[in-house]
Amino acid sequence: MKKVNLILISMVLVLMTGCSLEPPEWAKPNKSGDLNNIKIGLSISTLNNPFFVSLKDGVVAEAKKQGMEVIVIDAQNDSAKQSNDVEDLMQQGVNALLINPTDSSAISTAVQTANSLGIPVIALDRSAEKGKVESLVASDNVKGGILAAEYIVEQLGKDAKVIELEGVPGASATRERGKGFHEIADAQLKVIAKQSADFDRTKGLTVMENLLQGNPGVQAVFAHNDEMALGAIEAIQSSGKRIAVIGFDGNIDALNSITAGKLTATVAQQPELIGQLSVKAAKDVLQGKTVEKSIPAPLKLVVKK
């Protein structure tokens, strides 16, 4: 029923284009600068991951500072649920959408529906393949992948044997981190195996256990996020091997693991800052201002001191 309602609304807007291109009153950019009664919808890919919890916290804190209401919905890493969640947020009359896609392709239809209703969309950490996104607020994932590969070469030398744990297939972060990593690895390392573990710690453990059996000579692991890296460390410890593991995100568990001498390194992002910057971008759009298509949040390689 909700999908039918949204389709009908979109059809009405299309029929009205001969008379006006104005979006609904509740979705118009607030050019007066008055942000009273502004409601933002935040769709997070999963809250079962410290990185995205921090991202959410950054959004909520900044929205409160700006006097805006936030409705937060957890997609639980389910792309179909996320699309339905975003439709629910639109039904609730949000003025702007902040979306952290589970799948960059699957979320495109929901983004296009928001476009047809005049609701601005800001993407966080990952973008959408289709539809208009006002801005993507994220770290430079390609650069992060390069940093990880260069560190492995620096520590273990050229032609070191590496396993790559990939993130959720279809997510822009998976593609971009892998792209950056392979820019260096394809020429200077030997990637002897790679497999998706869906950015999940438990799957990282299971996948790594299986990959260790078939690749006894592995010297390092690059995981597309810290959760998979921490799962891989559990598998490596159980095997009794000593293998360097590099993660990506810089969440608190990973930083503690580095301090304890377990995780070798992580490409650290600033998820709370990403959340804060996304709210500021939404505010600017709602006030009729132009925002950059890409808003970067700094990252750095963290190792044990």
Side-chain angles (χ1 to χ4, degrees):
M1 182 60 71
K2 289 173 183 172
K3 289 184 179 179
V4 172
N5 289 340
L6 285 170
I7 292 170
L8 289 173
I9 292 171
S10 298
M11 290 175 65
V12 169
L13 288 172
V14 172
L15 291 172
M16 290 173 64
T17 53
C19 303
S20 173
L21 293 175
E22 292 287 309
E25 285 296 326
W26 48 263
K28 288 182 180 179
N30 196 337
K31 296 181 181 180
S32 68
D34 180 11
L35 294 175
N36 290 330
N37 302 315
I38 292 296
K39 187 187 298 183
I40 294 177
L42 171 62
S43 174
I44 291 281
S45 60
T46 176
L47 288 176
N48 189 29
N49 181 320
F51 176 83
F52 294 115
V53 172
S54 294
L55 189 150
K56 181 263 296 180
D57 290 343
V59 169
V60 172
E62 185 62 29
K64 183 178 180 180
K65 180 180 176 181
Q66 299 290 346
M68 294 184 281
E69 178 187 352
V70 181
I71 303 172
V72 181
I73 302 183
D74 178 8
Q76 299 172 6
N77 268 336
D78 184 328
S79 58
K81 181 181 184 304
Q82 184 165 47
S83 294
N84 289 330
D85 289 345
V86 174
E87 290 171 1
D88 286 338
L89 290 169
M90 288 187 278
Q91 287 282 340
Q92 294 179 57
V94 295
N95 300 90
L97 282 164
L98 306 184
I99 303 177
N100 161 236
T102 293
D103 185 295
S104 300
S105 176
I107 200 62
S108 295
T109 300
V111 172
Q112 290 171 321
T113 300
N115 295 159
S116 71
L117 295 172
I119 305 172
V121 177
I122 307 293
L124 291 75
D125 190 55
R126 311 164 184 166
S127 194
E129 288 187 358
K130 297 179 181 178
K132 181 184 178 183
V133 171
E134 300 292 338
S135 184
L136 167 63
V137 185
S139 301
D140 187 337
N141 285 310
V142 174
K143 182 178 179 180
I146 291 173
L147 284 175
E150 288 179 338
Y151 179 73
I152 294 172
V153 173
E154 176 188 321
Q155 296 299 308
L156 299 175
K158 291 187 177 182
D159 296 325
K161 297 178 180 179
V162 184
I163 284 176
E164 180 182 8
L165 295 182
E166 300 174 306
V168 174
S172 58
T174 300
R175 293 195 303 270
E176 292 163 6
R177 293 173 190 184
K179 177 183 177 182
F181 178 70
H182 283 279
E183 282 186 18
I184 303 299
D186 288 351
Q188 301 188 47
L189 297 170
K190 289 186 177 179
V191 181
I192 57 177
K194 60 180 181 178
Q195 187 173 329
S196 171
D198 294 335
F199 291 130
D200 183 81
R201 189 181 302 198
T202 301
K203 290 182 180 178
L205 167 62
T206 304
V207 170
M208 193 66 211
E209 285 176 337
N210 294 333
L211 291 177
L212 281 173
Q213 293 178 11
N215 302 277
V218 60
Q219 297 169 269
V221 175
F222 170 54
H224 287 192
N225 81 337
D226 287 336
E227 289 298 289
M228 294 187 296
L230 293 169
I233 286 172
E234 291 185 48
I236 292 168
Q237 289 178 329
S238 297
S239 72
K241 296 178 180 290
R242 293 181 62 85
I243 299 170
V245 179
I246 294 82
F248 199 123
D249 281 344
N251 70 37
I252 189 63
D253 287 350
L255 297 178
N256 289 338
S257 183
I258 289 173
T259 301
K262 298 178 181 179
L263 182 63
T264 308
T266 183
V267 179
Q269 301 190 77
Q270 299 187 65
E272 287 196 30
L273 178 60
I274 291 174
Q276 293 165 5
L277 292 173
S278 69
V279 173
K280 291 177 180 178
K283 174 186 175 181
D284 286 344
V285 172
L286 290 170
Q287 291 179 316
K289 299 177 182 178
T290 300
V291 296
E292 296 293 330
K293 285 296 181 182
S294 178
I295 300 176
L299 48 72
K300 62 180 180 179
L301 187 74
V302 177
V303 299
K304 187 174 181 179
K305 296 180 180 180

